[in-house]
Amino acid sequence: MKKFILISTVAFIYAVSCFSQNKGDFEPLFNGKNLTNWTLEKSGGFEVVDGELITRSFGSGNDIFTNRRYGNFILHLEFMLSKVGNSGIFIRCNPSAPDAGFEVQLLAPWTPWRDDLHCTGSIYGHVAITNRPDETTGIWYKMEIKCDRNIVTVSINDKVTTMANTDTVKSMDGKPYYGVIGIQGNHADEQGQFAKFRNIYIRDLDAEFDYVLNGFCDKNDQLRNLAVVASVNLGAKMIPPLADLMSGDNPMAKNGAKQALFDIVAKSSDPIAPAKEKKEIRSVLNKTIKTSSSEITVNYLKWLSGLIID
Amino acid sequence: MRTGRRIDRRKFISNTALGILGIPLMSHTFRNVAPSDKVRVAHIGLGGQGNAHLDWFNALSDVEVVALCDIDKVRLGMTQKRLLSITQNARVETYTDFRKILDRKDIDVITCATPDHWHALIAIMAFQSGKDVYGEKPLSYTIEEGRAMLKNLNRNNSIFQLGTQIHAGDNYHRVTEIIQSDKLGKIHTVRLWRTGGSPGLGFPQNETPPDTLDWNMWLGPAPYEEYTPVRCHSTYRYFLDYSGGVFADFWCHIADIMYMSIHPHGLTSIESRGDRPHDGIADAPLWIDVDFKFKDLDVYWTTEPPPIPGADKMEIGAHFEGADGSLTCDYNTCVIRIAGEVINDIPEVPKTIVRSPGHQRNFIDSVKSRQQPESNLLYAREMTIPMHLAMISYRLKRKLNWDSMKEQFIGDDAANYLLSRAYRAPWTLPE
């Protein structure tokens, strides 16, 4: 146990000293003024009033989606429902097929169809809540949705309502681990009803160095691929640890690292890529060639460097 | 006097194929050919396809199989045994290093069915040693290799046939006649497909290669990598270090009918989309779709069949869309749609193209006549280029513009870098 703690501590210090960057940073996803970062499915479904995002639509089909896609993240927001409010947060979703992802339900207690599988905080139709939250309408609630690879955790006012290993939920088989985040337009059958949102923040775990690196050893094929995609977005600083993974003896991690290294260099070799990025990658690549212990990796990196020769 | 002897040997075989009036006789009309007049063949690379080569050439009465080569002694022994069971009096030597075969002056022809990354080098070294080559597809691993092959072929007056056996079939000849008859009008779009992609092959640990297998020689000019059985032999083509998966494997079989019939020119852009398998160490495409723009012609490659009636039941196919009709074909079938009618042939189109005597027969005849065969290197290289370019676009994940005169990508140094690959020492690509 002591040894484990020691190793963990060393690993932690290493992680903090080498990998730490913007750790724990939440970025605003909603600026309180307009719909920057978002795309409306149809105009009129959502409006911004006094720093709040309001959906008053009647009927269905007026959802709003982030422009960017997210895989692993922690989403913070506040919501308020009117008496007949009915909305939800779409996760890892595809705007043209919202059912491709899943929905964390937001539902006022007006309808009889709100069992534990369909009430606020549930993963609608897939995972029931284990800890039912307060459902009083007309007041603000804090919500956190954490998507940590195959583990999804929903909390309301700091209490976990739902926790699911999505890989073990049969009805969620084949759901992607990556997609846009959406907010469902209010779809109560009564005029004047609404759902409101404010203080929407996101911490993108796929932008965090150590989190992404851990993904290369995941047993799930798609989650490993998500790590490859994320490391391409992270760019140059991923090259040294990826070279280490490629030189190691985990065939899964080696394979993903080899692909990620190619994709990072290939992306920077695009004629439209910024010259600065190319220069930085070239420099990190050359340093890594000098320090890498595996001949196979060194030869691979040398070959890759030919893609961005000066 | 290596060169002199080589020419003598070539002249010798060539003369035996001439009648008294100097007219080449179709040598397959001979039933009994004196052993000394036979074309002496060596087979390099003895997997499934190499064994098919052996069967095809061994069945020709004017051919004698005299040598076999594989870096795997187990395969080598099995193939020798198999040959002796078919031809009891076969006098065949076995080798694990193909260079020993190239050193033999009494051998006229080699066939090559090694993994793709060896194709060009073995062919070029064979040309340089005065031998003709029947080589498996794809032609080469890179564009630069194909260019070097052509140079060396011309310099040594060698004969080369690419192993696109379907080329010799009657169907491709008939489709060519129909397309060239202009009954479909000007062809503006061609859709090619082959279903299936690379399996992932799992995540095996590396192993020590068996004593019977020369792994270093198997890798040859490719980058060094530790051995694991799935990298080698029948699944090697799912690794980009050695091949390009199902697409690279089948492109030339089905693109062949497009080149045979309309021979597109002026390729200007290539845009690939695709993905690799995620459930294993293989990295060749799980699927790949490519848009090619030629002069006055759009060509699309897809892994799934295109939305054309009947295509969903064809694992490989070519679909030609013309101003007045369309034609869908594969190796053996042909469906023509003109003015709402669905037919399999247009009888009034005359049979104008001479049929092949058989793909290997055609090659051996060419070795004797010194005329290039039907799937010759010039043709095969041109046909193979779009496949290589599509693989580069797939890897770089971007659209590429191509100058077909200079054989260079326009404004993309990285893409041009991938037109070649430096060989691992001690191997070098001859100029």
Side-chain angles (χ1 to χ4, degrees):
Chain A
M1 186 67 189
K2 225 178 195 173
K3 200 173 169 192
F4 174 72
I5 292 169
L6 181 69
I7 291 168
S8 317
T9 312
V10 171
F12 179 74
I13 292 168
Y14 185 56
V16 170
S17 60
C18 305
F19 302 160
S20 170
Q21 87 107 29
N22 295 338
K23 213 174 150 69
D25 278 2
F26 280 81
E27 304 262 339
L29 204 50
F30 167 56
N31 62 14
K33 293 176 202 131
N34 53 42
L35 296 178
T36 304
N37 296 336
W38 298 83
T39 301
L40 264 173
E41 193 181 12
K42 281 188 229 167
S43 65
F46 281 80
E47 55 187 332
V48 180
V49 180
D50 297 334
E52 297 168 2
L53 181 62
I54 305 174
T55 166
R56 296 179 189 278
S57 52
F58 179 71
S60 61
N62 285 325
D63 308 330
I64 191 172
F65 300 100
T66 54
N67 296 336
R68 255 200 60 190
R69 292 191 290 169
Y70 297 89
N72 300 302
F73 58 85
I74 304 170
L75 179 71
H76 282 174
L77 58 82
E78 292 178 50
F79 70 89
M80 178 199 282
L81 299 175
S82 70
K83 210 166 78 242
V84 190
N86 184 0
S87 179
I89 311 296
F90 292 118
I91 302 295
R92 294 171 174 171
C93 166
N94 174 351
S96 53
D99 286 346
F102 58 88
E103 181 195 352
V104 174
Q105 174 70 327
L106 297 174
L107 180 63
W110 56 274
T111 140
W113 300 289
R114 48 181 205 91
D115 59 16
D116 287 353
L117 198 57
H118 301 91
C119 69
T120 293
S122 65
I123 297 178
Y124 190 82
H126 297 294
V127 183
I129 51 163
T130 47
N131 182 17
R132 195 145 182 157
D134 175 36
E135 288 164 286
T136 312
T137 56
I139 59 170
W140 287 102
Y141 291 91
K142 280 199 292 180
M143 175 175 252
E144 179 183 282
I145 300 171
K146 184 176 182 186
C147 291
D148 174 11
R149 310 195 211 277
N150 54 324
I151 305 296
V152 175
T153 314
V154 180
S155 308
I156 293 173
N157 284 350
D158 298 325
K159 280 186 188 139
V160 173
T161 63
T162 318
M163 195 165 172
N165 175 350
T166 57
D167 286 353
T168 62
V169 179
K170 230 181 169 174
S171 61
M172 293 180 83
D173 222 26
K175 295 264 181 212
Y177 295 91
Y178 192 59
V180 297
I181 295 170
I183 302 178
Q184 194 179 32
N186 194 56
H187 52 295
D189 295 336
E190 192 182 312
Q191 292 285 9
Q193 299 300 318
F194 64 83
K196 288 184 185 183
F197 301 87
R198 68 182 187 192
N199 293 326
I200 310 175
Y201 288 88
I202 192 160
R203 177 175 155 194
D204 183 4
L205 298 172
D206 292 322
E208 294 178 17
F209 190 93
D210 44 351
Y211 186 88
V212 170
L213 217 45
N214 284 335
F216 278 84
C217 300
D218 203 287
K219 290 254 175 341
N220 181 310
D221 299 338
Q222 288 184 57
L223 289 171
R224 272 198 322 281
N225 188 45
L226 204 53
V228 172
V229 173
S231 58
V232 175
N233 293 329
L234 285 167
K237 57 180 170 289
M238 287 301 286
I239 292 175
L242 288 174
D244 282 350
L245 280 182
M246 192 182 153
S247 311
D249 51 14
N250 176 342
M252 282 182 177
K254 275 168 91 125
N255 181 256
K258 190 179 175 189
Q259 185 68 45
L261 284 165
F262 184 92
D263 290 348
I264 289 169
V265 181
K267 187 183 168 206
S268 77
S269 78
D270 194 319
I272 60 164
K276 200 182 130 209
E277 186 186 314
K278 197 187 275 190
K279 204 176 150 195
E280 193 191 355
I281 296 218
R282 193 185 297 130
S283 145
V284 177
L285 208 50
N286 288 337
K287 270 184 218 156
T288 314
I289 287 168
K290 284 183 196 124
T291 54
S292 185
S293 57
S294 147
E295 204 183 325
I296 290 174
T297 306
V298 166
N299 285 331
Y300 183 64
L301 297 177
K302 280 183 181 165
W303 175 69
L304 284 183
S305 67
L307 285 169
I308 46 171
I309 213 142
D310 213 350
Chain B
M1 281 302 289
R2 219 173 104 182
T3 317
R5 199 180 302 170
R6 170 180 65 194
I7 289 172
D8 287 351
R9 171 91 197 141
R10 273 189 186 163
K11 257 192 196 154
F12 176 67
I13 310 171
S14 180
N15 287 340
T16 61
L18 296 174
I20 36 170
L21 298 173
I23 299 161
L25 296 174
M26 295 309 270
S27 40
H28 59 292
T29 58
F30 288 103
R31 274 286 154 264
N32 296 305
V33 183
S36 58
D37 298 347
K38 289 191 176 188
V39 175
R40 295 165 68 80
V41 173
H43 298 294
I44 301 170
L46 302 172
Q49 200 63 8
N51 272 273
H53 284 185
L54 171 66
D55 288 342
W56 294 330
F57 284 97
N58 190 45
L60 299 177
S61 62
D62 53 345
V63 164
E64 187 178 3
V65 176
V66 296
L68 299 172
C69 173
D70 202 289
I71 53 88
D72 182 342
K73 285 178 186 157
V74 175
R75 284 186 163 194
L76 188 58
M78 276 167 55
T79 311
Q80 183 189 26
K81 221 168 149 186
R82 212 174 62 79
L83 172 61
L84 290 170
S85 74
I86 304 164
T87 307
Q88 279 78 12
N89 58 350
R91 290 166 300 169
V92 67
E93 298 288 328
T94 58
Y95 301 89
T96 52
D97 187 333
F98 72 96
R99 290 171 292 191
K100 297 225 168 85
I101 285 180
L102 302 187
D103 287 342
R104 273 179 63 172
K105 304 289 179 256
D106 64 320
I107 291 175
D108 306 303
V109 161
I110 64 132
T111 81
C112 177
T114 62
D116 308 7
H117 65 280
W118 265 115
H119 286 175
L121 185 55
I122 289 177
I124 292 170
M125 290 172 76
F127 296 155
Q128 291 180 340
S129 71
K131 290 165 182 44
D132 299 321
V133 179
Y134 185 91
E136 267 310 316
K137 41 95 225 175
L139 182 72
S140 57
Y141 179 79
T142 66
I143 298 268
E144 187 195 35
E145 285 181 335
R147 208 177 289 141
M149 286 172 88
L150 191 58
K151 263 192 197 167
N152 281 276
L153 174 103
N154 290 333
R155 196 180 294 144
N156 294 285
N157 297 313
S158 311
I159 298 293
F160 179 90
Q161 173 104 298
L162 184 71
T164 43
Q165 292 86 21
I166 315 300
H167 188 97
D170 183 66
N171 196 47
Y172 274 18
H173 287 77
R174 187 60 189 150
V175 167
T176 301
E177 284 162 347
I178 291 164
I179 299 240
Q180 291 180 351
S181 76
D182 219 25
K183 296 276 181 204
L184 307 174
K186 190 172 161 34
I187 305 294
H188 53 76
T189 305
V190 179
R191 297 178 193 279
L192 307 171
W193 72 95
R194 171 63 163 82
T195 59
S198 289
L201 303 172
F203 295 96
Q205 289 287 351
N206 294 328
E207 294 176 19
T208 307
D211 292 339
T212 47
L213 189 143
D214 187 347
W215 175 239
N216 190 44
M217 189 67 165
W218 187 94
L219 286 169
Y224 186 78
E225 184 54 82
E226 298 292 328
Y227 173 80
T228 187
V230 295
R231 282 191 164 271
C232 190
H233 288 345
S234 56
T235 43
Y236 75 86
R237 70 171 68 263
Y238 305 121
F239 293 86
L240 292 178
D241 276 351
Y242 322 119
S243 181
V246 173
F247 169 62
D249 192 14
F250 284 92
W251 163 266
C252 57
H253 275 316
I254 197 70
D256 196 1
I257 185 55
M258 174 173 78
Y259 275 84
M260 208 168 157
S261 59
I262 55 177
H263 204 123
H265 287 284
L267 178 60
T268 55
S269 74
I270 306 98
E271 184 172 17
S272 305
R273 296 165 296 281
D275 199 6
R276 70 197 163 90
H278 298 290
D279 55 349
I281 59 172
D283 57 359
L286 175 68
W287 65 274
I288 177 169
D289 291 352
V290 194
D291 304 347
F292 298 97
K293 298 273 176 220
F294 286 87
K295 189 174 177 290
D296 306 324
L297 181 75
D298 292 340
V299 177
Y300 301 99
W301 172 278
T302 50
T303 294
E304 288 297 315
I308 296 157
D312 57 329
K313 289 176 191 72
M314 298 162 72
E315 69 172 18
I316 192 163
H319 176 75
F320 296 83
E321 292 171 21
D324 305 320
S326 75
L327 183 152
T328 312
C329 69
D330 59 12
Y331 299 164
N332 302 305
T333 68
C334 171
V335 176
I336 301 155
R337 290 182 172 82
I338 301 179
E341 245 194 298
V342 183
I343 46 182
N344 297 109
D345 194 9
I346 306 174
E348 75 233 48
V349 173
K351 268 194 173 190
T352 49
I353 304 168
V354 178
R355 273 20 180 195
S356 170
H359 206 247
Q360 296 76 38
R361 179 70 264 155
N362 169 254
F363 170 69
I364 294 297
D365 289 346
S366 300
V367 166
K368 294 179 175 180
S369 69
R370 308 314 294 168
Q371 304 296 310
Q372 291 297 340
E374 52 196 1
S375 304
N376 60 74
L377 182 49
L378 188 69
Y379 173 88
R381 193 183 83 92
E382 210 172 329
M383 178 177 85
T384 308
I385 285 174
M387 178 276 283
H388 288 303
L389 306 186
M391 285 305 297
I392 295 171
S393 174
Y394 164 83
R395 295 191 82 168
L396 293 176
K397 299 182 167 66
R398 57 183 179 253
K399 184 179 177 181
L400 300 170
N401 296 311
W402 179 246
D403 182 332
S404 60
M405 297 306 289
K406 288 187 188 153
E407 292 191 0
Q408 288 272 304
F409 289 107
I410 300 164
D412 197 320
D413 294 341
N416 281 325
Y417 174 68
L418 295 176
L419 293 173
S420 59
R421 177 174 72 175
Y423 280 5
R424 184 172 65 106
W427 303 101
T428 53
L429 178 67
E431 281 277 308

